Amino acid sequence: MNKEKIYNWLSHDVGIDLGTTNTLVYLRGQGVVLNEPSVVAVNQKTGQVVAVGGPAKAMLGRTPAHIQAVKPLVEGVISDFEIAEEMILYLLNKAGKSSRKFLGPRVVVGVPYGITNVETRAVKDATKNSGAREVYIVEEPMAAAVGIRLPVMEPVGNMIIDIGGGTADIAVISLGGIVRAKTLKVAGEKMNADIISYIRGEFKILIGEKTAEMIKVTIGSVVPPEEHQEMTIKGRDLVTGLPREVVITDSDVREAISQSIETIIDAVKEVLEITPPEIVSDIMQRGIHIVGGGAKFPGMKELLVENVKIPIHIAEDPLTAVAIGTGIILENMEVYKDALIQDEDELPPQK
C-alpha cells in the first residue's frame, strides 16, 4: 500500500457506512460525498489492486483468470481484511483528492447490529491502517435512526428497519441505546441469490448476480403491481450449454423472493413481541421507519402495514440514512457518545 496517500484526505472528520453492497462516505461540513460499490478488483499475479468501486463492479463476471473482482464484506462484516483496507483507503482518498495534506481524521463507521468483538476490531483496525487518527464504531440501526432525525436520546420508543445489501437490522431504540433488536442475513443480496436459484430451477437457465440485481430492480415487487410487468433476460441453458432468452414476469420475482420477505416480516413481529409494552405503545403512535435499499422495494410498506398493523414511514432518502447518521454523531460526539459501541481503550474525549 502506498502510505503517502493516506494524508490526502480532507481536513474534516469522516463518517463511513461500510456496506456489503455499497460504501458511503460522509465528510463533516459537506454531507455524503461518495457512494461506491463495495467491490475491489485484484491482479492475482502481482497482488495489486486494479480497480475499486464502480469500475470494479463493472468487472464482476467479466474478468480474465488472473484478475478477480472481490467483495471484501460478506453479510455486513469484513471477510478479507487486506482488501477491505485497500478499499477504505481508496474511497477516503477519492473523497479528499483535492485537499491539503494533514494527519488522519476521526472516523465513525457504521456496522450491523450484533457483530462480534473480533469483527468490530477488524473494522477498526482496517480503518486505522488506512490512516485514521481515531475510529469509533456505531451500529447501523442507531446511525440510521440518528440520520433520519429520530429522537433516539429521549425516553421514547423508536423502531427502525434497515434492509441493506448483506443484512437486515430491526431495532427498537430509546434513551441512546438499542432496547431490542434482531439482525438477519436476509437482504438485497440474498434476494438476488433467490432469483438466480428460482430461474435455474424453473427455466433451467443460469444467470449472473448482476442480471439478478437488474431483474429485482426493474420488475421486483412484494405485492402485485397495478400493471403486469415482464422483461426478457439472457442466460446459459443448463441442458444445451448454449445462450437462451426467456421472459420473466413480476409474479416470478415475487415467488422467488417470497421466503426472504416472509423471514423479514416474521423478524419484525418477533422484535415487537419482546419489546416492553410502554415502548410498543410509543411505536404504535409514532410508527416504524424503514431505511436502506429495501425501503424502495415496491409494496414493502403496504405489506408491513398489513402484517403488523402499525403505521410505516419510508425515509426521505433511505440509502444515505446511515452515512448521514455517522456524520451527525461526528458533529455531536458528546451528545451521542453513549450510542457508540464502547471500547475500553478508546472512548470519545470528555470535556
Side-chain angles (χ1 to χ4, degrees):
M1 181 186 298
N2 185 354
K3 293 294 183 182
E4 292 180 2
K5 291 183 179 180
I6 66 177
Y7 302 110
N8 291 336
W9 303 358
L10 286 170
S11 53
H12 295 272
D13 293 334
V14 181
I16 302 175
D17 174 8
L18 195 60
T20 304
T21 304
N22 285 73
T23 295
L24 286 78
V25 178
Y26 177 103
L27 292 181
R28 184 172 185 171
Q30 297 191 33
V32 177
V33 297
L34 206 60
N35 182 353
E36 289 275 359
S38 301
V39 185
V40 180
V42 182
N43 187 321
Q44 298 294 310
K45 293 179 179 177
T46 64
Q48 296 297 311
V49 172
V50 177
V52 180
K57 183 178 181 180
M59 297 180 185
L60 282 172
R62 296 187 172 100
T63 59
H66 68 284
I67 294 179
Q68 184 178 8
V70 179
K71 291 188 174 182
L73 288 102
V74 175
E75 295 172 346
V77 299
I78 291 177
S79 60
D80 190 318
F81 182 86
E82 291 185 358
I83 299 299
E85 186 181 322
E86 291 279 3
M87 183 182 76
I88 294 170
L89 173 62
Y90 170 86
L91 294 175
L92 290 172
N93 274 301
K94 183 174 180 180
K97 62 186 177 183
S98 62
S99 65
R100 64 182 177 86
K101 296 183 178 181
F102 84 113
L103 189 61
R106 293 185 307 169
V107 179
V108 172
V109 185
V111 299
Y113 169 79
I115 69 172
T116 66
N117 291 336
V118 173
E119 291 164 342
T120 301
R121 176 58 63 181
V123 172
K124 185 168 285 191
D125 288 348
T127 309
K128 274 201 165 184
N129 289 347
S130 298
R133 181 175 78 253
E134 299 170 12
V135 181
Y136 303 107
I137 306 296
V138 62
E139 288 160 321
E140 287 174 355
M142 176 64 75
V146 172
I148 61 173
R149 310 289 179 170
L150 295 183
V152 298
M153 305 307 294
E154 297 178 13
V156 61
N158 304 277
M159 187 167 185
I160 193 157
I161 303 172
D162 180 4
I163 307 173
T167 61
D169 290 326
I170 301 145
V172 175
I173 299 168
S174 180
L175 281 172
I178 292 178
V179 180
R180 298 287 187 272
K182 187 178 182 69
T183 294
L184 305 172
K185 295 176 180 178
V186 176
E189 295 199 350
K190 174 64 168 61
M191 294 179 198
N192 292 346
D194 292 340
I195 292 170
I196 292 171
S197 178
Y198 178 86
I199 291 175
R200 179 175 187 143
E202 293 294 318
F203 296 93
K204 300 299 183 286
I205 280 187
L206 183 63
I207 63 170
E209 185 178 346
K210 290 181 71 175
T211 301
E213 173 76 17
M214 181 178 65
I215 293 169
K216 182 182 71 177
V217 171
T218 306
I219 63 171
S221 64
V222 296
V223 296
E226 293 182 0
E227 296 183 6
H228 174 78
Q229 294 180 314
E230 61 181 39
M231 67 181 293
T232 301
I233 62 166
K234 302 176 178 65
R236 188 174 75 236
D237 192 303
L238 291 171
V239 178
T240 66
L242 299 174
R244 182 159 69 92
E245 286 186 350
V246 294
V247 175
I248 304 296
T249 67
D250 57 274
S251 60
D252 289 326
V253 180
R254 279 196 301 282
E255 185 174 347
I257 65 173
S258 60
Q259 188 62 51
S260 291
I261 297 297
E262 187 177 329
T263 299
I264 292 172
I265 291 172
D266 288 345
V268 174
K269 291 179 179 178
E270 286 175 26
V271 171
L272 284 168
E273 287 170 4
I274 60 174
T275 298
E278 292 294 337
I279 293 181
V280 171
S281 176
D282 291 338
I283 293 169
M284 290 180 68
Q285 182 178 351
R286 299 170 55 80
I288 299 171
H289 299 263
I290 313 180
V291 300
K296 292 190 166 186
F297 217 54
M300 181 65 76
K301 174 180 177 178
E302 291 76 12
L303 192 63
L304 280 167
V305 169
E306 180 184 336
N307 280 272
V308 302
K309 313 301 181 187
I310 293 175
I312 302 294
H313 308 290
I314 297 176
E316 185 175 340
D317 191 357
L319 296 177
T320 62
V322 173
I324 291 172
T326 62
I328 294 173
I329 291 169
L330 270 169
E331 294 167 4
N332 303 274
M333 191 70 83
E334 275 300 308
V335 175
Y336 294 107
K337 63 185 179 185
D338 292 336
L340 300 170
I341 295 179
Q342 300 296 330
D343 192 77
E344 57 187 18
D345 61 342
E346 281 187 7
L347 291 174
Q350 300 289 328
K351 290 185 178 177

